[in-house]
Amino acid sequence: MKKLLFILFIGYSMSLWSQQEDTVLTSKSTFSSSDGYLISKPYHSIYDTTGWLWILGENKLSNEYIFGEREIIIQRFDGANFFTLKLPGTFNKKIEKGHFFKHKSNGLYLKLYYKAARAELFYINTESLEIKAVKEYNDLNKKNLFSEAYTTGDLTRLVLTSKDKFYSAALDKLSLTFIDSVAFDKPVAEPILAAPITTNDFTLIKLLLEKEGHFLNKEGKFTQKISEDNFEAADGTHFFPEVIHPTFKVNNAFYVNLDNYKNAFKFNKALNKFIETPNTGNLFIKNAALEFSPDFKHAFSTESFSDYTAIEMYRFTNFKNELLSRIEIKNSSETAYKEIGKDLVVLNGNTLESYSFINSKIRTFLKDKSVRTISKLKENNYIVATETGGIYSVDIKNNTEERIKILDDTTALAINYSRGFLVEGDNILLIGDANNLYTLDSDYKVIQNKTVKFPGEQIIKIKDTLFTADHRGVIFKYSINGNRLTEVANTGDIQIKEFTTDGTTLYATSSKGIFEYGNGIFETYEFENVETDHLLSINYLEDYGILISTKYGGIYRFDTTTKKLKPFYEGSLNTSIMGMVADDTGTLWLNTYSGIISLDPSLKKIVRYTAKDGVYEIKGNMFSTYKDEQDGSILMGSYKGLSYFKPEELVENNINVQPQFTSISFFNSENNHWEVNTSPGFLNNTNEIVLPSEYRRFSATLSVFGQMNPQDIKYQYRLLGNGNTSEWFTNYSGKEILYANLSAGTYNLQVEAYNASNQKIGGRITLKVISKEVFYKTWWFILLLLLLVSISVLYLFNQYKEKQILFSKNKIAVNEAKIKNVMMLEIHHRIKNNLQIVSGLLGLQIVNSKNEELKEKLQDSQSRIESIAGIHNLLYNSSKQNLIPVKENIENCIDYYKRLFPINATYHLDIDASILDIDQATPFSLLLNELINNSYKHAFTKTEYPEIYIHFEKQGKKYVFEYFDNGSFKNEKSPKQAMGRKIIEMMNKQLKGDLKIENSTSFKLILLFPTHE
């Protein structure tokens, strides 16, 4: 039984696919490293609200060149171009994975998971591209183990768990505010959260592996604990679900799928419970989780198999799902979408695949059948003759096609090669094949007494007379009232291509040119400006008269007075035109060998529709172009199917999207470097750039954000300036617009976007470019140069007179400076030697002394002298004899203590390139000496893996020094510790600093002292 249901499901899906295949167009573009995609292992991706795709993953370049650790980067994708962002500093924490989630309109959150630390949260301003840590979240107590984000309205909320509680919190950019909490029935070792289930009125949260859950209201308050009473099956039993799938909405009611139940469960607001609803199981024969669009009109499912994952897109209406598209991808792939049912991005290893799903306005019937002629039966229903496949009834409304069985008494007739038929009165049809004219009743049965021998394949009616053309070249007419068939005399050598009429006169394209017949007389006309063999289709259109097309794309009007062919459209279509009709606006629609073409004669504007627009077969057929005069719809036959569309739906005069710059690159004089500006904040507020005289070049990339495939878009651009016009150039999606070596002046870069049908997208965008003149060509520089020359002459004359005096004075000063420099080096050298002697003497006393207390005191004194000696050593080896590099000073101090103590302590250093003068370096060195000495002697006595953290950086006009260790802190103070504390406070006073010491289970010191700037 299950196997049968599965077969029925597959059959149903395939039937839906065959019905919808001609209205949903799938366009795919693939990007790799050659296109700028640098991700080798994607972690997650998401679209922001402006249409940019954000991708988090491992950098392919670091994988190629670095063994071991891999760099994690963010890439932004505009549909054609990739731009890379670096992650903020994570202090050497190894990233294991990460994901994004949205915040309001201009922001994203990035959550990073580490291998050996708790996860951290970062806020991304998608306008400025700034990434900042959400410190209030990152500093949470470690007891908060897991968290899940959800949105309600414009608010971003967070649910957290500890081992014994749920917590509810609000996220707003960098702010985290706790709202409410509720306890579990009993502590849970691994309180992993399932994804929150959200509706308009409440949010439902539960643990993934435990029977713990709650309802939250819109304010984020816990309102009710989830129990079995909240879930009722169709048989009246209650249960606690293991899996709650995402909610969806039908007729303003919310539903969910639970566990493996076939039917959906509707939320009853009055009873505050989910109740199983019968006959709702046809949403999916397998109870798979569907992800829905915000309007619940589309959904997609993801199902993994052994070696691939199937993604299926659905149109969803009242528990009915119509399969739109199925895509098979690798199991390891990540996916993202802007709008379900309209686009999809698949991150598949080293490539990014972008899919666009567009509802085509062109529908296809009778696929792979050669269509020859069309007529209307009744509303939404047409009769269509094929070349050799018989005759069909096509129902546009119900999207069905059915072959008509024509019976002559009890014999089925095979009518082929028909080029025309007429619908008369009460569904009575006159159908012609090569030998007979049949009259059928409404059941498609031949009326015996109305069958006529009729040598022709196409027919046309004028008043009560039918005309036909024999394939041998004879034209016949048949009087319906007189029931008489006669030959039009002298037409044996006229081979007719196609008939038309203005209601009184018969016209045709033929082997003799244009054939004209009226009042029993015919004429043929050939022309100097068009070869007779090139004539193809002919049609009488009320607004234009008799139009004739050619096999090379020409359209002419036949002047019935002068009997001349006048050019109607002289553009370059470069294709055979097989049929022509005009819509209600006067636009011509042409059935050609290169697709369907719309031609606006007044504007001479053409739009070509091909396979990208839903045309199943672009090679059109003669005799098969038809306009429904009642609703204006048009049907066009081809060698492989019938195209149906309504012109007003197909033509998009104003596409409601706008091209925009996604990067502008130029040399920024203020920052003195080349800048690639990609932030929306910059791009949206910049309509002018200035190029410096020494670097007069710039480039730009563009994209169109909306329900369009960027790869189908081309751009026309030109640079106008200095009163000159410029021709338009064509650029394609993903390509840079680049201008270099511009002359000085003011320019305007103008850009327009066009789709695959050559329709303009949105409006023209403009960027003003100011290219600066080289400074030595400006008038002010010439005047300044003359002034400088004059001043220089006077200055040199004056300098010559004082040269000898200054020369002698300078020589004396240089000699004195050298002597002072040598003396200072000698003084520093002697001080260093003396300090080393004192340190050595103290060391001898330490060795010879048997008093342990005395040894400790001597050792403390020795370490302080070593700190001062270290500073003088740096002075002695430095070209700047009053400045000390902080990092080198700290490292020297650490080396001393590593040699002094047997404890193997690990140091974590975060030190910038700050430099202290001698007045600050000495007290700072002594202070650091006391701290490290204190850690070794008093903090690490019972610590298995001792660690010391030292941070030093310059922030504005202050230095920030942080020191902490992971040793065990004791509140009781020995005289020795008190002495060390006094020295620290004395050094702090000398530094004029702000000192803060935190004592909990370990020791932490924070010191802020001013710079000497």
Side-chain angles (χ1 to χ4, degrees):
M1 184 63 185
K2 288 184 178 179
K3 190 172 182 180
L4 176 61
L5 286 173
F6 179 75
I7 293 171
L8 289 173
F9 168 71
I10 294 297
Y12 175 63
S13 297
M14 291 302 294
S15 69
L16 287 172
W17 168 256
S18 65
Q19 292 175 18
Q20 296 298 334
E21 185 181 25
D22 56 349
T23 60
V24 177
L25 306 179
T26 301
S27 175
K28 175 186 174 183
S29 301
T30 302
F31 300 88
S32 63
S33 57
S34 61
D35 305 296
Y37 179 59
L38 302 181
I39 304 290
S40 63
K41 182 180 179 181
Y43 291 163
H44 189 239
S45 60
I46 193 174
Y47 278 96
D48 66 22
T49 54
T50 59
W52 285 85
L53 177 67
W54 292 69
I55 311 160
L56 176 73
E58 295 178 0
N59 188 350
K60 180 179 186 293
L61 299 182
S62 71
N63 291 349
E64 290 178 352
Y65 303 115
I66 299 176
F67 180 79
E69 296 303 322
R70 295 165 181 166
E71 181 188 18
I72 310 301
I73 60 171
I74 293 173
Q75 284 206 292
R76 297 167 63 243
F77 181 52
D78 65 4
N81 305 281
F82 293 88
F83 304 96
T84 302
L85 290 175
K86 286 194 174 182
L87 289 179
T90 55
F91 301 104
N92 297 322
K93 295 173 184 159
K94 296 177 182 178
I95 300 171
E96 188 173 34
K97 59 182 180 178
H99 69 87
F100 301 100
F101 57 92
K102 290 184 181 179
H103 172 71
K104 298 187 178 178
S105 58
N106 294 323
L108 291 176
Y109 282 106
L110 169 63
K111 193 173 183 181
L112 295 179
Y113 298 87
Y114 304 114
K115 291 183 179 178
R118 70 189 305 274
E120 289 187 325
L121 195 63
F122 298 84
Y123 175 71
I124 305 174
N125 186 319
T126 53
E127 288 291 305
S128 66
L129 305 186
E130 290 180 310
I131 305 177
K132 293 183 178 180
V134 183
K135 199 169 184 306
E136 293 181 4
Y137 176 88
N138 299 342
D139 291 343
L140 286 175
N141 193 301
K142 291 184 179 180
K143 72 176 184 179
N144 294 301
L145 301 177
F146 301 97
S147 66
E148 287 284 344
Y150 69 96
T151 57
T152 173
D154 288 335
L155 302 175
T156 304
R157 293 278 169 73
L158 207 62
V159 179
L160 304 96
T161 59
S162 65
K163 291 186 177 181
D164 53 5
K165 277 188 178 184
F166 283 119
Y167 298 87
S168 170
L171 266 177
D172 187 5
K173 296 183 179 177
L174 301 177
S175 173
L176 175 70
T177 306
F178 279 90
I179 301 171
D180 199 3
S181 66
V182 65
F184 297 156
D185 285 345
K186 58 183 180 179
V188 178
E190 292 290 326
I192 303 172
L193 280 162
I197 306 299
T198 305
T199 71
N200 292 344
D201 300 315
F202 65 85
T203 297
L204 188 152
I205 61 167
K206 69 180 290 290
L207 296 184
L208 193 64
L209 306 174
E210 303 288 338
K211 290 186 177 182
E212 287 282 354
H214 263 80
F215 288 97
L216 290 92
N217 61 18
K218 290 189 288 186
E219 288 72 36
K221 296 277 190 180
F222 293 100
T223 58
Q224 182 186 344
K225 181 178 173 61
I226 298 173
S227 67
E228 293 184 353
D229 292 337
N230 297 117
F231 304 93
E232 183 178 317
D235 60 3
T237 59
H238 292 81
F239 64 99
F240 195 101
E242 292 183 8
V243 180
I244 304 177
H245 296 292
T247 58
F248 58 96
K249 200 173 183 180
V250 178
N251 298 327
N252 295 319
F254 281 97
Y255 293 81
V256 294
N257 284 315
L258 303 175
D259 295 341
N260 294 318
Y261 282 86
K262 178 181 176 181
N263 290 313
F265 285 71
K266 178 181 178 181
F267 182 71
N268 187 310
K269 193 172 182 180
L271 300 175
N272 198 38
K273 67 167 61 176
F274 290 92
I275 302 174
E276 185 177 5
T277 305
N279 305 318
T280 57
N282 54 350
L283 173 65
F284 220 22
I285 201 73
K286 297 168 291 182
N287 188 18
L290 291 179
E291 189 164 353
F292 290 87
S293 60
D295 60 4
F296 302 102
K297 292 182 179 179
H298 291 88
F300 78 76
S301 70
T302 304
E303 186 177 5
S304 294
F305 296 91
S306 59
D307 57 349
Y308 71 93
T309 296
I311 298 177
E312 295 180 335
M313 297 281 183
Y314 297 93
R315 183 181 290 116
F316 176 68
T317 308
N318 293 340
F319 297 102
K320 294 180 181 178
N321 53 310
E322 299 175 3
L323 182 64
L324 301 178
S325 181
R326 176 186 169 92
I327 298 170
E328 293 183 0
I329 63 175
K330 291 183 179 179
N331 279 333
S332 59
S333 302
E334 289 286 330
T335 60
Y337 55 85
K338 276 184 290 192
E339 188 172 347
I340 293 176
K342 294 189 177 179
D343 61 82
L344 180 70
V345 166
V346 177
L347 306 172
N348 192 350
N350 293 319
T351 62
L352 181 149
E353 296 172 349
S354 175
Y355 295 86
S356 295
F357 306 99
I358 302 172
N359 289 329
S360 170
K361 304 298 190 298
I362 301 175
R363 297 162 64 187
T364 303
F365 298 89
L366 302 174
K367 288 184 179 179
D368 299 321
K369 294 180 175 61
S370 181
V371 174
R372 273 305 183 180
T373 190
I374 307 158
S375 191
K376 186 172 184 178
L377 285 172
K378 54 187 176 181
E379 186 177 4
N380 300 315
N381 196 274
Y382 301 88
I383 186 169
V384 182
T386 64
E387 189 79 20
T388 59
I391 296 174
Y392 286 82
S393 169
V394 174
D395 189 321
I396 299 299
K397 183 177 181 180
N398 295 318
N399 214 27
T400 60
E401 52 195 49
E402 181 183 0
R403 184 168 181 175
I404 296 173
K405 188 175 182 180
I406 298 175
L407 295 176
D408 184 3
D409 196 8
T410 58
T411 303
L413 298 179
I415 298 179
N416 295 311
Y417 305 106
S418 177
R419 302 294 191 269
F421 42 66
L422 302 170
V423 179
E424 295 270 316
D426 254 352
N427 293 331
I428 304 301
L429 312 177
L430 305 173
I431 300 178
D433 62 9
N435 300 300
N436 296 285
L437 180 69
Y438 300 100
T439 301
L440 309 179
D441 62 19
S442 57
D443 295 323
Y444 308 111
K445 292 182 179 180
V446 175
I447 301 175
Q448 297 292 335
N449 60 355
K450 291 188 178 182
T451 299
V452 180
K453 289 292 181 182
F454 204 74
E457 294 173 350
Q458 70 168 302
I459 57 174
I460 189 170
K461 181 182 179 184
I462 303 177
K463 298 180 181 177
D464 72 335
T465 302
L466 299 179
F467 291 87
T468 184
D470 189 278
H471 63 278
R472 295 165 298 177
V474 180
I475 300 173
F476 296 89
K477 60 180 181 178
Y478 173 71
S479 173
I480 297 175
N481 293 334
N483 194 22
R484 185 175 68 256
L485 178 70
T486 57
E487 179 181 330
V488 177
N490 303 317
T491 59
D493 59 347
I494 300 177
Q495 292 184 342
I496 296 297
K497 297 179 182 179
E498 186 174 26
F499 284 128
T500 191
T501 181
D502 61 2
T504 58
T505 304
L506 180 67
Y507 300 93
T509 48
S510 74
S511 60
K512 298 294 184 180
I514 299 300
F515 173 85
E516 180 184 48
Y517 177 84
N519 298 320
I521 301 171
F522 77 87
E523 293 285 347
T524 58
Y525 305 97
E526 294 188 284
F527 314 97
E528 295 180 358
N529 56 337
V530 181
E531 292 186 31
T532 298
D533 185 53
H534 293 172
L535 301 178
L536 279 180
S537 181
I538 185 170
N539 199 5
Y540 170 76
L541 302 174
E542 188 173 347
D543 293 336
Y544 302 113
I546 306 295
L547 294 185
I548 294 99
S549 71
T550 72
K551 63 173 64 176
Y552 295 110
I555 302 177
Y556 296 85
R557 180 190 284 117
F558 179 64
D559 190 319
T560 57
T561 303
T562 63
K563 313 301 181 184
K564 300 289 185 183
L565 273 188
K566 296 181 179 180
F568 179 79
Y569 177 72
E570 297 181 290
S572 178
L573 295 177
N574 296 322
T575 184
S576 298
I577 302 173
M578 314 307 292
M580 302 171 287
V581 291
D583 64 23
D584 295 337
T585 67
T587 298
L588 286 180
W589 291 86
L590 313 178
N591 192 4
T592 78
Y593 261 25
S594 301
I596 297 169
I597 295 176
S598 72
L599 167 63
D600 187 331
S602 60
L603 300 176
K604 294 186 177 180
K605 175 184 175 182
I606 67 168
V607 178
R608 193 183 302 269
Y609 300 91
T610 59
K612 286 186 176 181
D613 307 289
V615 181
Y616 182 73
E617 167 59 49
I618 63 173
K619 192 174 182 181
N621 250 346
M622 286 193 72
F623 318 111
S624 62
T625 303
Y626 179 81
K627 176 191 174 185
D628 188 329
E629 296 296 338
Q630 288 183 320
D631 65 7
S633 57
I634 294 174
L635 296 90
M636 289 186 174
S638 71
Y639 284 89
K640 291 183 179 180
L642 173 69
S643 295
Y644 169 88
F645 59 91
K646 291 190 175 182
E648 68 274 13
E649 294 178 358
L650 189 58
V651 175
E652 297 178 273
N653 294 319
N654 295 302
I655 298 177
N656 191 27
V657 289
Q658 178 70 16
Q660 55 188 278
F661 292 108
T662 54
S663 75
I664 300 175
S665 305
F666 62 98
F667 191 86
N668 189 315
S669 297
E670 293 182 3
N671 299 329
N672 198 35
H673 64 83
W674 179 266
E675 287 186 351
V676 181
N677 300 283
T678 65
S679 69
F682 175 89
L683 298 171
N684 295 336
N685 296 295
T686 299
N687 47 33
E688 176 184 301
I689 60 173
V690 178
L691 308 182
S693 58
E694 68 274 17
Y695 217 102
R696 295 189 299 209
R697 68 186 292 264
F698 76 97
S699 64
T701 58
L702 301 112
S703 189
V704 173
F705 294 110
Q707 295 305 326
M708 307 184 70
N709 183 359
Q711 302 306 303
D712 293 337
I713 298 170
K714 65 179 180 180
Y715 301 91
Q716 289 187 351
Y717 67 96
R718 62 182 179 180
L719 192 67
L720 302 178
N722 299 327
N724 299 325
T725 58
S726 173
E727 62 179 306
W728 289 94
F729 297 94
T730 300
N731 195 38
Y732 293 93
S733 184
K735 305 297 181 183
E736 223 178 12
I737 295 175
L738 174 65
Y739 282 95
N741 301 320
L742 290 175
S743 301
T746 301
Y747 300 87
N748 284 297
L749 175 65
Q750 297 179 340
V751 183
E752 295 177 346
Y754 292 85
N755 66 9
S757 300
N758 210 34
Q759 292 176 283
K760 187 177 179 182
I761 302 170
R764 178 184 298 175
I765 58 174
T766 302
L767 176 66
K768 187 176 181 180
V769 181
I770 300 173
S771 180
K772 289 292 189 72
E773 181 66 87
V774 179
F775 72 95
Y776 56 77
K777 292 184 178 181
T778 58
W779 63 268
W780 59 266
F781 178 78
I782 296 172
L783 290 176
L784 181 61
L785 185 61
L786 291 173
L787 181 61
L788 287 174
V789 169
S790 302
I791 294 172
S792 298
V793 171
L794 292 173
Y795 174 75
L796 291 172
F797 179 75
N798 185 58
Q799 286 292 99
Y800 178 76
K801 292 195 307 181
E802 298 182 6
K803 182 177 180 181
Q804 298 301 320
I805 299 171
L806 290 173
F807 178 76
S808 59
K809 289 181 178 180
N810 286 339
K811 190 173 183 180
I812 293 169
V814 169
N815 289 334
E816 289 179 350
K818 287 182 178 179
I819 292 169
K820 287 180 180 179
N821 187 47
V822 172
M823 289 177 66
M824 286 298 296
L825 289 174
E826 181 64 23
I827 290 169
H828 280 304
H829 180 62
R830 289 178 182 275
I831 291 171
K832 176 194 168 189
N833 288 343
N834 290 335
L835 288 170
Q836 291 295 334
I837 290 169
V838 174
S839 177
L841 291 172
L842 290 172
L844 287 173
Q845 286 184 328
I846 293 169
V847 172
N848 295 326
S849 176
K850 296 181 180 179
N851 187 326
E852 293 299 326
E853 184 178 354
L854 178 60
K855 277 186 176 184
E856 267 193 63
K857 291 181 179 180
L858 290 173
Q859 199 174 61
D860 290 343
S861 299
Q862 187 186 37
S863 67
R864 291 162 189 148
I865 289 171
E866 286 285 346
S867 295
I868 298 172
I871 292 171
H872 280 276
N873 184 49
L874 291 174
L875 286 172
Y876 177 70
N877 291 295
S878 173
S879 59
K880 297 180 179 179
Q881 294 175 16
N882 63 335
L883 299 176
I884 306 296
V886 175
K887 186 174 183 181
E888 191 172 350
N889 184 26
I890 292 175
E891 288 173 348
N892 287 344
C893 189
I894 290 170
D895 288 340
Y896 170 75
Y897 276 101
K898 282 185 176 179
R899 296 193 305 272
L900 184 62
F901 287 98
I903 298 173
N904 185 18
T906 301
Y907 286 85
H908 301 275
L909 304 182
D910 181 13
I911 305 166
D912 65 8
S914 295
I915 295 176
L916 299 178
D917 59 29
I918 187 66
D919 292 337
Q920 289 182 312
T922 301
F924 173 75
S925 183
L926 291 170
L927 184 145
L928 177 64
N929 171 78
E930 294 300 325
L931 291 173
I932 298 177
N933 189 39
N934 185 66
S935 292
Y936 273 101
K937 288 187 175 182
H938 305 290
F940 294 155
T941 56
K942 295 183 180 180
T943 303
E944 185 177 357
Y945 301 107
E947 293 181 303
I948 295 175
Y949 300 82
I950 300 175
H951 171 77
F952 192 100
E953 68 171 330
K954 182 182 177 183
Q955 293 184 357
K957 292 188 177 183
K958 282 187 178 295
Y959 292 116
V960 178
F961 169 62
E962 295 183 12
Y963 178 97
F964 60 95
D965 59 43
N966 67 339
S968 299
F969 175 76
K970 298 179 180 179
N971 286 321
E972 59 272 10
K973 296 181 180 177
S974 67
K976 166 98 178 63
Q977 291 172 312
M979 181 63 182
R981 178 66 66 87
K982 286 180 181 180
I983 292 173
I984 290 171
E985 290 173 353
M986 287 170 61
M987 297 305 103
N988 178 47
K989 286 181 180 179
Q990 288 192 37
L991 291 170
K992 298 179 181 179
D994 181 9
L995 181 68
K996 181 182 178 182
I997 297 176
E998 297 177 0
N999 297 328
S1000 55
T1001 58
S1002 59
F1003 177 84
K1004 182 174 183 181
L1005 177 143
I1006 301 173
L1007 172 64
L1008 280 71
F1009 61 96
T1011 65
H1012 280 179
E1013 294 180 354

